[in-house]
Amino acid sequence: MIILIQCSDRVGLVAAISGLLSGKGINILSMREYVDVEANRFFNRVVCEQYPNPEILINELRSILPEDARVDINTEPQKKIIVLVTKEYHCLSDILVRNHFKTLGAHVQCVIGNHEVLKDICERFEIPFHLVGHENKTREDFELQLLTTINKHSYDYIVLAKFMRILSPAFVESFPMQIVNIHHSFLPAFAGANPYRQAYKRGVKIIGATAHFVTNQLDEGPIIEQQVIQVDHTYTAGEMMKAGKEIEKGVLAKALKMLFEDRVFVYNNKTIVFS
Amino acid sequence: MIILIQCSDRVGLVAAISGLLSGKGINILSMREYVDVEANRFFNRVVCEQYPNPEILINELRSILPEDARVDINTEPQKKIIVLVTKEYHCLSDILVRNHFKTLGAHVQCVIGNHEVLKDICERFEIPFHLVGHENKTREDFELQLLTTINKHSYDYIVLAKFMRILSPAFVESFPMQIVNIHHSFLPAFAGANPYRQAYKRGVKIIGATAHFVTNQLDEGPIIEQQVIQVDHTYTAGEMMKAGKEIEKGVLAKALKMLFEDRVFVYNNKTIVFS
Amino acid sequence: MIILIQCSDRVGLVAAISGLLSGKGINILSMREYVDVEANRFFNRVVCEQYPNPEILINELRSILPEDARVDINTEPQKKIIVLVTKEYHCLSDILVRNHFKTLGAHVQCVIGNHEVLKDICERFEIPFHLVGHENKTREDFELQLLTTINKHSYDYIVLAKFMRILSPAFVESFPMQIVNIHHSFLPAFAGANPYRQAYKRGVKIIGATAHFVTNQLDEGPIIEQQVIQVDHTYTAGEMMKAGKEIEKGVLAKALKMLFEDRVFVYNNKTIVFS
Amino acid sequence: MIILIQCSDRVGLVAAISGLLSGKGINILSMREYVDVEANRFFNRVVCEQYPNPEILINELRSILPEDARVDINTEPQKKIIVLVTKEYHCLSDILVRNHFKTLGAHVQCVIGNHEVLKDICERFEIPFHLVGHENKTREDFELQLLTTINKHSYDYIVLAKFMRILSPAFVESFPMQIVNIHHSFLPAFAGANPYRQAYKRGVKIIGATAHFVTNQLDEGPIIEQQVIQVDHTYTAGEMMKAGKEIEKGVLAKALKMLFEDRVFVYNNKTIVFS
């Protein structure tokens, strides 16, 4: 089981936490801690043997920690996710294949698309696909239908696997740090639309992709993972896009792995990732 | 000797050029060409044996090429450079060491600093150092003194090796595609001042550096080389800066190598680099 | 259409080839050439418009080239491949997904497995799967059955996508430079069995994967592509293997892309890749 | 001050250590621990405020730890090093520049060369250079003279910065885990002499460098850091060597940084690096 703690820093936190756990006979398998000195913030991830009553443990931990402590215990190794897509297959297929072979670290509950093109690949893997079209609809109606569809399933995270609609503040606020997006550039460079076209015009020698939590600042949410590749003058904007898709797939896979293994903390619009 | 050609593209350019050269008995050691299809632009770099009269060869080449052809022949393997610095030693030292051991591909004619701290390291390598302070001076006066100092030397390129003053349009225009700058971020992310502080605040997982030609759009000139490294939440802004310096040094070294070996074309505010 | 030429080097080859092509009114879209000076060997890849009679063109090209010239013209953009597998799904699934969405650059004709576990994923994509078990069989019988199965299909290349049987010299010789293997290490380090275990024991800080042509020297065939990732002391042998699979998938995908786009030459047990 | 602990693992070690430290009012600034589960080995690095009597603290720590515990406390941020070289300047110059600008994390006590060519660069930085030639000498005599020269200085580590002589077992045993070497390949590939020639002949697509502790198995000591770069068919063996030197310089710099900051543990011929 995994314990995630974040709170104000003070002397003796590690001793107090590990003392409490070993006092209860809970064997610590691994422990990572980090202090953001500038923010005076303590982050702690403990992997330990299962304990029969996690709720009681949370309370006991809280009683020895600063008042602002946030303590989460995850006893369930498999997360549940809902995937939102538009037309591009590369990220979704990668998720579906890993889900199928049980190496994703999560169960895909369903896929929701605003176009129908990816229905077929979902059906091949026996994953429910829901079409929620955005055409001839107000954004309110579109998002209402999204919400209704989402709420028919249980989930820990919503993954935007190349979902090409911007979500409203109201929608995003319903899922704080639960929506993960893959952006097709090395943010903050080329935020917004058509990043590969922008990158091509600027003549950059490196392109990248960014997986981040979605907040109400467009493309400004906490970054989980970024990767890049070298390109050169021989790449057209289209070839940059093709090369970029490989990176997008890899970055999203890495970010989801970190998330599903409970390795990601968020604070001050940044992530702490115990990779 | 190295021939660089750029012109509008049309059928038969490679045949025409290589035909002309082999007709004159000039052995081609290597040949690289690239066509920017979108811009209909042809770029060609030929390494061949020395030819006694390059001026005549340029004219003959022009006569068989489109009217807009630009032909350069470089018979001199060693470039001459002037290096401008402020206080940071890492890029300058790397250049001085390579210069000293004759692996830079260029001769450092002199170093000009707007502070005195790097005078000592120049003297250790017997490279003239000129102090051109900017304090208590108008920018006009400062740049005039820079120009006067520069013009006492011969040079092919001016290298801004962490020179922390912004140069005026008039100054920059005097050296078209002759000034190379190292910018301490992965442009276009974090243009302007304090990029490491910006990167730290944004919580990026990768930082980088960019070597580019200086034009009158700040940090917008043609990019020659970019490199990055992974960082994580444990990096303070200061540690990002430290890690960034290693990259800056490497990126500038790579860009200068490309430039000094005549591997760089500029067109449409982008570079073609035959690396 | 794509023309691949390799022959002894001599003055004027590029002029001769491009002259012949432009003389026939064939527009050259792009041209890459490379001379291995040490081996005095010339390599040339030309992308040009289709020409109605490639056989005649091959003969004309041969007539102007050195006697040892090898000229290939490929007018068919899509290759045909057969994929051999054992039990691991990651490389095969990646190939099947790209094949399904027509971005592989080749058609998968069938998959042959010496175990049955990957039959299901093939069927989901409607790709024929043939089980050719190796148990209770001599290697001769096993390979005979492989050959029989292969020969029921047409193919340009055979891809070993984690096929864990060593093929006999006789078998390999039947497919010169037609079999591509993905090896789970950064060759030549850790050739042979259990490379991740070897890498773990040696405490390396980087692991990799290698795509190469199969020849009769085990793990010694010409290397097409290699990639690596950083690992550290926290990786168990099992985690190295997991991380390695991501690289294997990417390296094989890149090597196949190069191959299917006719960008790979082989000479002296090495490849020239015009990437 | 930095505390390094390694011992057999058992429940409660982190609690015991951090309890003891906070009991003495020592503020822990950061703490990293790692358990090698396969070897049942616990590694712990604590950065904390200075404590007036480290010897007493070591004893107290030992009294609460398993019997096989090794506890080191480093109160001195600057290490002392001796650098051994032959003829190549790139690694040495990098060390001398950092030493000069006080960013190496260590003081270079002297440089010992078996050739005289690098004397000049040392003198430019006012670092003593000792010539210990190997010609017309038995290895015993050569190493005796090395030892005599080394022992005139105080040092924590001996850095082989492209020192091209193989040291005898007797010599190496005198400096257990104190000698760091930079090997010009991605070990274990291309161990031994002429790695770039070997890499060129094998046609690899990546070359690298390895910084490792020197033990009596040639090129088999614990690896501290490895890095690589892509190369391709256009690299001659000489160009691979040139590109490799850049990597060597970077790898050695990174390894020394880790070492000088007390981030490296050795166990079972492998390193644990808390980077």
Side-chain angles (χ1 to χ4, degrees), chain D:
Chain D
M1 112 190 159
I2 294 169
I3 308 173
L4 297 184
I5 297 168
Q6 65 162 291
C7 58
S8 308
D9 190 33
R10 70 178 183 212
V11 176
L13 285 175
V14 170
I17 295 164
S18 53
L20 189 148
L21 294 175
S22 57
K24 298 180 97 65
I26 302 175
N27 195 17
I28 297 175
L29 301 174
S30 85
M31 187 162 184
R32 288 283 294 274
E33 56 87 43
Y34 170 68
V35 176
D36 181 334
V37 175
E38 197 170 320
N40 191 44
R41 193 86 184 161
F42 170 84
F43 302 88
N44 189 217
R45 178 181 186 266
V46 184
V47 183
C48 56
E49 291 164 349
Q50 294 285 2
Y51 182 73
N53 201 326
E55 279 313 309
I56 286 179
L57 188 59
I58 287 179
N59 286 334
E60 293 192 44
L61 281 164
R62 273 209 189 112
S63 70
I64 60 161
L65 293 170
E67 269 200 18
D68 64 357
R70 180 174 165 177
V71 180
D72 292 297
I73 295 189
N74 182 21
T75 56
E76 173 55 72
Q78 290 287 315
K79 301 287 184 297
K80 290 172 185 162
I81 64 167
I82 293 174
V83 184
L84 269 60
V85 299
T86 297
K87 288 179 175 174
E88 289 171 78
Y89 74 87
H90 56 292
C91 289
L92 175 63
S93 300
D94 193 64
I95 290 171
L96 291 177
V97 167
R98 291 175 201 263
N99 182 66
H100 183 73
F101 287 100
K102 304 192 189 317
T103 54
L104 181 63
H107 295 299
V108 178
Q109 304 297 300
C110 72
V111 174
I112 304 175
N114 63 325
H115 281 87
E116 210 167 8
V117 290
L118 296 173
K119 186 180 181 188
D120 167 75
I121 185 84
C122 292
E123 287 177 349
R124 286 177 190 269
F125 288 105
E126 290 150 36
I127 299 298
F129 177 90
H130 306 292
L131 175 65
V132 179
H134 64 277
E135 282 175 34
N136 305 318
K137 254 177 226 164
T138 62
R139 188 155 82 166
E140 285 67 33
D141 285 349
F142 173 60
E143 293 194 347
L144 191 62
Q145 204 182 334
L146 269 185
L147 276 174
T148 312
T149 314
I150 287 169
N151 287 329
K152 284 182 190 146
H153 302 267
S154 62
Y155 58 87
D156 297 291
Y157 296 104
I158 295 170
V159 178
L160 311 186
K162 306 294 289 174
F163 179 69
M164 305 311 270
R165 307 295 300 169
I166 293 172
L167 297 164
S168 73
F171 187 97
V172 169
E173 270 159 27
S174 321
F175 307 97
M177 301 306 149
Q178 285 189 292
I179 310 180
V180 177
N181 183 44
I182 177 72
H183 184 83
H184 39 325
S185 90
F186 176 69
L187 290 173
F190 311 125
N194 282 328
Y196 294 117
R197 188 74 209 163
Q198 289 182 64
Y200 171 76
K201 285 211 62 173
R202 182 64 187 87
V204 292
K205 301 300 185 188
I206 282 175
I207 58 170
T210 303
H212 62 98
F213 287 109
V214 176
T215 61
N216 277 318
Q217 311 315 108
L218 179 62
D219 299 336
E220 299 264 313
I223 294 168
I224 305 170
E225 172 75 6
Q226 299 189 294
Q227 290 174 22
V228 297
I229 45 162
Q230 289 304 130
V231 292
D232 64 27
H233 60 271
T234 65
Y235 284 69
T236 62
E239 283 161 343
M240 283 191 183
M241 183 183 295
K242 242 195 262 181
K245 281 178 207 276
E246 300 294 316
I247 296 294
E248 293 168 12
K249 201 168 77 171
V251 168
L252 184 56
K254 179 76 186 296
L256 294 181
K257 182 173 157 45
M258 293 298 103
L259 205 57
F260 298 160
E261 293 177 7
D262 293 303
R263 296 174 178 278
V264 182
F265 294 84
V266 176
Y267 188 68
N268 264 357
N269 206 44
K270 301 201 284 190
T271 62
I272 286 87
V273 182
F274 286 144
S275 65

Side-chain angles (χ1 to χ4, degrees), chain A residues 182 196 207-210 226-229 242-252:
Chain A
I182 177 72
Y196 293 118
I207 57 169
T210 304
Q226 299 189 295
Q227 290 174 21
V228 297
I229 45 163
K242 240 195 263 181
K245 282 178 207 275
E246 300 294 316
I247 296 295
E248 293 168 12
K249 200 167 78 170
V251 169
L252 184 57

Side-chain angles (χ1 to χ4, degrees), chain B residues 11-12 14-15 18-19 22 27 29-33 35, chain C residues 11-12 14-15 18-19 22 27 29-33 35:
Chain B
V11 177
V14 169
S18 53
S22 58
N27 194 17
L29 301 174
S30 84
M31 187 164 184
R32 288 283 294 275
E33 56 88 42
V35 176
Chain C
V11 177
V14 169
S18 52
S22 58
N27 195 17
L29 301 174
S30 85
M31 186 162 182
R32 288 283 294 275
E33 58 87 43
V35 176

Side-chain angles (χ1 to χ4, degrees), chain C residues 16 29 70 98 137 176 181 185-187 248 251 259 261:
Chain C
L29 301 174
R70 180 173 165 176
R98 290 175 202 263
K137 254 177 226 165
N181 184 44
S185 90
F186 176 67
L187 289 173
E248 293 168 12
V251 168
L259 206 57
E261 292 177 9

Side-chain angles (χ1 to χ4, degrees), chain A residues 1 20 24 26 53-61 73:
Chain A
M1 108 189 161
L20 189 148
K24 299 181 96 66
I26 301 175
N53 200 325
E55 279 313 310
I56 286 179
L57 188 59
I58 287 179
N59 287 334
E60 293 192 42
L61 282 165
I73 294 188

